[in-house]
Amino acid sequence: MPSWRSARTVREALARMPTLEVSSPHPKSMIRLIRHTNISSLESLAMREWREASIRTQEMHHRFWEAANTEYAACKKEFEDKVLAATGSPATADDVARFYRDYMARTRPRFAAYHAATVRQSFANLGPAARAYADYALGVVAAASTHLTDRSVVAAAVNRLFSRSAASNSYKYRAHGVSVR
């Protein structure tokens, strides 16, 4: 199967890299959803596995926080309505603090399970991410080694490879002001 290593030039290897488009925060989950675009037909198996793993992780976070935030908003509204009906005045900061403490105590098991699932998923994603990054790095190095005379391209590739790898898992990162859901 073709991969990043089959690129003839560093520019070609960089052009084959998928792009991440980041949306504005989702109205319910408050998660900035990520869409993978510019997916090459030459995407390697390692890169595809990592992309699919990151999509599964994002969906897990989105589903959890959408449900949790929706439930919290409904419970808080119900509490505020109950206080207003009982006292004739809106809930005070102390009332809301007591509600929040009780709410967090009730939902602690669900949040603990989510945290454990997040840790498991993060460790499970390390393998696919490392394989994808190694595959991409080998492709850039192989392409750069055949074109060492074009120093600006090699410098750009090395800079991109090492400066953005931790922050963006070696994907192009492009934030957008409009939602891309």
Side-chain angles (χ1 to χ4, degrees), residues 57-100:
T57 301
Q58 172 184 267
E59 288 171 356
M60 179 187 77
H61 291 306
H62 176 66
R63 279 192 313 271
F64 175 82
W65 284 108
E66 186 174 27
N69 291 343
T70 301
E71 180 196 356
Y72 174 76
C75 289
K76 185 177 177 195
K77 175 78 171 126
E78 179 184 333
F79 170 78
E80 289 171 340
D81 291 345
K82 197 183 300 182
V83 168
L84 185 60
T87 64
S89 62
T92 65
D94 289 337
D95 294 335
V96 174
R98 279 190 295 277
F99 157 75
Y100 188 70

Side-chain angles (χ1 to χ4, degrees), residues 20-101:
L20 295 181
E21 293 182 343
V22 182
S23 73
S24 55
H26 187 272
K28 290 185 180 175
S29 71
M30 298 302 172
I31 299 288
R32 288 185 178 272
L33 299 173
I34 296 171
R35 181 172 62 185
H36 299 256
T37 61
N38 191 31
I39 298 168
S40 172
S41 61
L42 299 176
E43 180 181 49
S44 68
L45 177 63
M47 190 62 83
R48 188 179 80 237
E49 287 173 353
W50 179 84
R51 181 174 47 81
E52 290 170 353
S54 67
I55 290 170
R56 281 191 305 275
T57 301
Q58 172 184 267
E59 288 171 356
M60 179 187 77
H61 291 306
H62 176 66
R63 279 192 313 271
F64 175 82
W65 284 108
E66 186 174 27
N69 291 343
T70 301
E71 180 196 356
Y72 174 76
C75 289
K76 185 177 177 195
K77 175 78 171 126
E78 179 184 333
F79 170 78
E80 289 171 340
D81 291 345
K82 197 183 300 182
V83 168
L84 185 60
T87 64
S89 62
T92 65
D94 289 337
D95 294 335
V96 174
R98 279 190 295 277
F99 157 75
Y100 188 70
R101 185 185 63 228

Side-chain angles (χ1 to χ4, degrees), residues 93-121:
D94 289 337
D95 294 335
V96 174
R98 279 190 295 277
F99 157 75
Y100 188 70
R101 185 185 63 228
D102 294 342
Y103 175 79
M104 290 307 293
R106 278 193 326 267
T107 58
R108 181 177 172 81
R110 187 178 64 199
F111 278 87
Y114 167 73
H115 177 70
T118 299
V119 170
R120 279 192 305 274
Q121 188 70 37

Side-chain angles (χ1 to χ4, degrees), residues 4 13-20 36-40 43 47 50-51 136 160 170-173:
W4 308 110
L14 292 174
R16 288 182 185 180
M17 243 173 27
T19 303
L20 295 181
H36 299 256
T37 61
N38 191 31
I39 298 168
S40 172
E43 180 181 49
M47 190 62 83
W50 179 84
R51 181 174 47 81
Y136 171 71
R160 178 174 195 90
S170 66
Y171 268 125
K172 296 177 192 173
Y173 183 82

